[in-house]
Every structure is written in C-alpha cells, then in structure tokens.
Amino acid sequence: MASKKGNVLIGVSASIAIYKSLEVISLLKKRGFSVKVAMTREASDFISPVVFEALTNSRVYVDVLEEFDNPDDTNITHIALAKWADVFAIIPATSNIIAKIANGLSDDAVSLLALASEAKKLIAPAMNSSMYLNPITQENIEKLKKYEFHIIEPVEGDLACNTKGVGHIADVCDIADAIESLSSEKILFGKKVIVTAGPTVESIDPVRFITNKSSGKMGYAIAKAAVDFGAYVTLISGPSNLRKPFGVDFVNINSAYEMLDELKKRIENYGDCVVIMAAAVSDFKPKRYEKLKIKKRSGNDKLVLELIQNPDLTKEINRFAKEKGIKLFTVGFAAETDNLLKNAIEKIKKKGLEFIVANDVSRNDIGFNTDENEVSIIYKDGSMERLPKMNKYDVACEILRRIE
Ligand SMILES: Cc1cc2nc3c(=O)[nH]c(=O)nc-3n(C[C@H](O)[C@H](O)[C@H](O)COP(=O)(O)O)c2cc1C
C-alpha cells in the first residue's frame, strides 16, 4: 500500500558504512515513508537481510533469480519493485556499484533496479578517499549526474582504514532530508524564501543576556519544507540546538539588530522574495551594554536594568524593500498568551503582512519548544482559518501552500 509520504526503495551495497542504511530507514519510517530494501550479495554477507526485513516489515530483494523461484510473489519482481518506488536511494554506494550503474551493468539486485526504475534516484557514496578521488570513480559519478542521479556527496571524516579523508558517508539526517526533498511536490520551485527562526539574545554584559524560550523548531521546519518544495532558502537563526536543515543557506545571528542587518542584506541580494518571520525576536534590549562583567557590590542588593525597544523587524524590512523597489510577500507569526486573535489582527494591519500565523504560547502541548503546533491563519481581508494540531513540519507545509 502506498504511504502518505511516499515509497522509498533503498539499495544497499557492501561498504563498511552499511549500518548507516539502517539508521536512514528508521528515520524515513518515523517520517511516514513506506520503505523496501534491495541488497547486493556482498552486502547481504555484511548484514543479514533479516535485519532489514524486520525493520521494513517487507521482504528484501537480493537474488535476481529469486523471482523465477517464486513466480506467484509479484511483490518481489524487479519490475514491480522498480514501479513501486517514488525514490530509489543507494545507501551506502560502493565504488563498485557506482561503476556498474554508470556502465549499464545489471548483474545484481541493486544495479538491476537502478536500470529498471524510473523513480528519482539518489546515491550516497562511501569509500576510502583514494577510491573516491580516483579519476575513474569521479568520472563514473559525473556520468551518473548527467543521467539525473542525485549525489549526496561524502564528507571528510574517519575512514575504516584508520585514516581521515573525504569518502565518509554523508550525515544520515541529511540523507533522509535529501530523500524527503526528492519525494516532495515542487510547488515553490525557483522561489526565494527567507525564514527567521529561534530566539534573539540581547547582551547585558560579556556573560549575561536576556532571551526567550523559543527553540527554533517552527522556523527550522518551515525552512526544511521550503527546500523540499523546491525553493532557494536562507535561514537566519538565533542561537538554537537544532540541526541545520539540509540544503539551506544558513546564517547565525545573536541580536535583533544582527537579524535585521542580515535580513536587509539577503533581501537586497534576492530581490522579490518571500519572508517568513518565525523568529521570536526580543521586543526589548538593555539600554546600555556593560563592557565589563557587572560585579556584586556590598551594600547594594539591587540592580536596575533599563530596557529599550528593539526595532520592529517586519516594519523595517517592508520599508527597506519599498525603498529598493523590491516586492516582498511577508508572513508574520503572533505568539501570544492572551487575546490571540485580536492581537494578530492588529499586527497584520500595522505591519503590512500578507497573513499571520497565530499560536497560543500559553499552552504546554503546542508552541514554544514542542514538536506540535495548532495554529490559526489570519489573512489581510480579516478572514481566518483554524488548522488542526499537527507536527511542525506538516504545519510548515500548510503555511507554505498558502504562499502566492
Ligand atoms: C570490510 C570491508 C569494507 C569495505 N568497505 C567498502 C567501502 O566503504 N566502500 C567501497 O567502495 N568498498 C568497500 N569494500 C569493498 C567492497 O565490499 C567490494 O568492492 C565489493 O565487491 C562490493 O560489492 P557490491 O558493490 O556488489 O556491494 C569493503 C570491503 C570489505 C571487506
């Protein structure tokens, strides 16, 4: 049965990085994909197909002649498998399997499927750096790119041969992201999208600051979903522990002023673009920054901190874009604890937004630092749409579907 997210066929070849394919499969299953596996004979000597069968609840295709032994099992034939897949990803890909596919060979389950499948294809090479940098391997990889195979490049890292170098398989989350991206509809293809995320921090002295509880999860989910939908994405983020989503142009900032500077730079660079202001920007900052750490003083048990307002970033960027003749489609967020809708409607009018995403941060189960969100979307014309509670990636997709 086809899953909501799509069908992913994983081809596994005999690299020392083979265990990473198990991690990628787990991630894909958690994200709602249906997954099936095909392995080379050598790979099945490294890890038994039984492990992959347990993880995917599905038979693993290893023996190309097997289908003739089981003529009634139509699920296992290479043509049926090839047709079933929306994405075919080879994880890990040995130099051998890359060479075979680049030369049209098909004498094992993985290369056979690579030739038979019309799905989008991704290859995650993993090998010793001499093998990877060998011009023959490089030529084979270039040839595969020419035939629309997507390559997720290996990185520098520890290699099995007790050396360091390029050839270490890409990060498993990046591989899962790349597969998710390949399986997504490209409704924002070629669009330029800037997303702000996370909190800002406003320094008091070299060791102290004021900030807020934002984790960045909503903004990061929007940036990832926008990449999946085919947009060029810049993510401008305050401090966050989250992993940078694969495929975004990432900018780290601290204060509201730094965020504003980066926003202006990127808007000027992009020209007409979509800006999604999901960051929880500090409304206030200390009036004075103390260059030296503020000391406790005897006889003075009080410290009065004077705060002044930060600029309103949405207003500022809209003014900036107007001056430069740039057209923005600006989406705002309203994180409120009370009078949620009234405040959101006021903001939309005041700030020149296309629509505003309002969420109630007084609830513990949604909003700040949670994986789920339940939002309402309020439009320029005053109409409102309530979305059901969903994980933040699904909320992100719904927000992006409303961009013109
Ligand atoms: C322990 C071990 C680890 C290996 N790791 C890799 C590797 O990371 N990358 C690679 O290209 N070949 C690696 N090889 C060599 C391949 O296993 C060998 O070329 C094999 O024929 C590949 O078969 P396949 O591509 O059909 O799966 C390794 C071999 C062994 C014994």
Side-chain angles (χ1 to χ4, degrees):
M1 199 180 73
S3 79
K4 191 174 128 223
K5 295 279 293 206
N7 296 336
V8 182
L9 178 60
I10 305 283
V12 181
S13 62
S15 150
I16 195 74
I18 188 168
Y19 63 98
K20 300 274 186 173
S21 58
L22 297 167
E23 289 179 44
V24 175
I25 291 167
S26 295
L27 282 172
L28 292 174
K29 293 214 59 168
K30 272 193 206 137
R31 293 184 191 185
F33 287 95
S34 268
V35 184
K36 291 183 193 280
V37 171
M39 300 175 84
T40 65
R41 266 267 151 248
E42 284 73 9
S44 72
D45 287 338
F46 279 28
I47 295 183
S48 165
V50 171
V51 179
F52 290 94
E53 289 183 346
L55 207 57
T56 59
N57 298 318
S58 189
R59 273 185 65 195
V60 169
Y61 183 54
V62 181
D63 190 340
V64 290
L65 298 180
E66 186 179 9
E67 56 196 79
F68 299 105
D69 296 338
N70 299 285
D72 297 333
D73 191 347
T74 48
N75 289 329
I76 195 77
T77 71
H78 66 279
I79 298 299
L81 262 183
K83 280 201 180 130
W84 173 85
D86 299 310
V87 179
F88 177 40
I90 304 183
I91 310 163
T94 58
S95 57
N96 178 56
I97 204 76
I98 289 169
K100 275 192 186 176
I101 298 170
N103 288 287
L105 297 182
S106 52
D107 62 353
D108 66 83
V110 176
S111 58
L112 175 62
L113 281 162
L115 215 59
S117 169
E118 287 172 22
K120 291 178 181 139
K121 298 186 194 79
L122 180 84
I123 290 201
M127 67 200 71
N128 156 284
S129 45
S130 307
M131 290 164 79
Y132 178 67
L133 295 172
N134 188 305
I136 301 173
T137 305
Q138 287 300 316
E139 203 176 307
N140 288 333
I141 289 175
E142 284 311 309
K143 199 164 167 192
L144 291 182
K145 282 186 192 165
K146 201 174 95 192
Y147 292 114
E148 294 188 357
F149 282 76
H150 299 262
I151 310 289
I152 182 155
E153 304 287 347
V155 293
E156 294 253 347
D158 293 327
L159 300 171
C161 41
N162 290 331
T163 54
K164 273 187 189 288
V166 67
H168 188 91
I169 191 164
D171 176 80
V172 286
C173 294
D174 285 352
I175 297 175
D177 279 3
I179 291 171
E180 192 159 18
S181 187
L182 279 180
S183 73
S184 301
E185 43 186 340
K186 300 295 174 214
I187 54 172
L188 296 180
F189 185 75
K191 276 217 176 314
K192 291 159 186 154
V193 177
I194 301 172
V195 184
T196 68
T200 61
V201 298
E202 310 294 337
S203 294
I204 299 169
D205 69 13
V207 295
R208 301 183 182 93
F209 52 80
I210 50 173
T211 187
N212 58 59
K213 287 186 178 177
S214 167
S215 62
K217 282 183 180 172
M218 193 64 241
Y220 278 55
I222 293 170
K224 179 182 181 316
V227 170
D228 292 349
F229 284 161
Y232 297 106
V233 182
T234 293
L235 174 60
I236 305 175
S237 173
S240 166
N241 293 326
L242 299 175
R243 187 181 63 90
K244 169 175 95 69
F246 179 71
V248 303
D249 167 31
F250 186 76
V251 190
N252 233 162
I253 54 88
N254 282 305
S255 67
Y257 272 98
E258 284 173 26
M259 186 169 269
L260 181 58
D261 280 351
E262 287 299 336
L263 274 164
K264 285 180 178 170
K265 254 191 244 164
R266 306 287 152 158
I267 289 168
E268 196 159 20
N269 205 4
Y270 271 171
D272 296 353
C273 61
V274 176
V275 185
I276 304 181
M277 304 289 278
V281 179
S282 246
D283 288 332
F284 300 97
K285 73 191 245 340
K287 184 171 181 190
R288 203 179 130 82
Y289 172 73
E290 300 292 341
K291 284 200 183 100
L292 300 175
K293 185 183 162 200
I294 301 168
K295 299 255 183 339
K296 275 202 279 186
R297 294 224 169 79
S298 56
N300 188 0
D301 60 356
K302 250 200 223 163
L303 171 71
V304 178
L305 200 60
E306 196 177 350
L307 301 179
I308 53 167
Q309 270 195 24
N310 263 325
D312 181 325
L313 302 200
T314 312
K315 264 194 195 162
E316 292 290 327
I317 59 160
N318 278 335
R319 183 166 43 212
F320 175 77
K322 213 169 169 188
E323 275 168 25
K324 301 270 169 195
I326 295 170
K327 205 165 159 272
L328 296 186
F329 186 104
T330 316
V331 176
F333 270 72
E336 304 286 356
T337 50
D338 54 84
N339 282 331
L340 189 69
L341 287 178
K342 190 172 154 278
N343 291 343
I345 290 167
E346 269 169 29
K347 270 192 188 172
I348 215 169
K349 282 189 199 144
K350 229 168 48 191
K351 300 189 181 201
L353 297 161
E354 297 296 327
F355 62 81
I356 204 160
V357 183
N359 62 329
D360 181 350
V361 290
S362 66
R363 279 173 57 181
N364 288 333
D365 59 329
I366 56 166
F368 275 155
N369 214 1
T370 58
D371 291 328
E372 292 193 314
N373 215 350
E374 186 179 324
V375 301
S376 298
I377 297 185
I378 298 122
Y379 297 91
K380 270 202 290 204
D381 63 4
S383 61
M384 193 191 90
E385 215 184 335
R386 254 181 225 285
L387 299 183
K389 189 167 160 186
M390 290 178 262
N391 72 48
K392 285 186 172 169
Y393 179 80
D394 290 339
V395 174
C397 292
E398 289 306 317
I399 293 169
L400 294 172
R401 281 182 215 287
R402 285 156 179 77
I403 281 169
E404 283 149 25

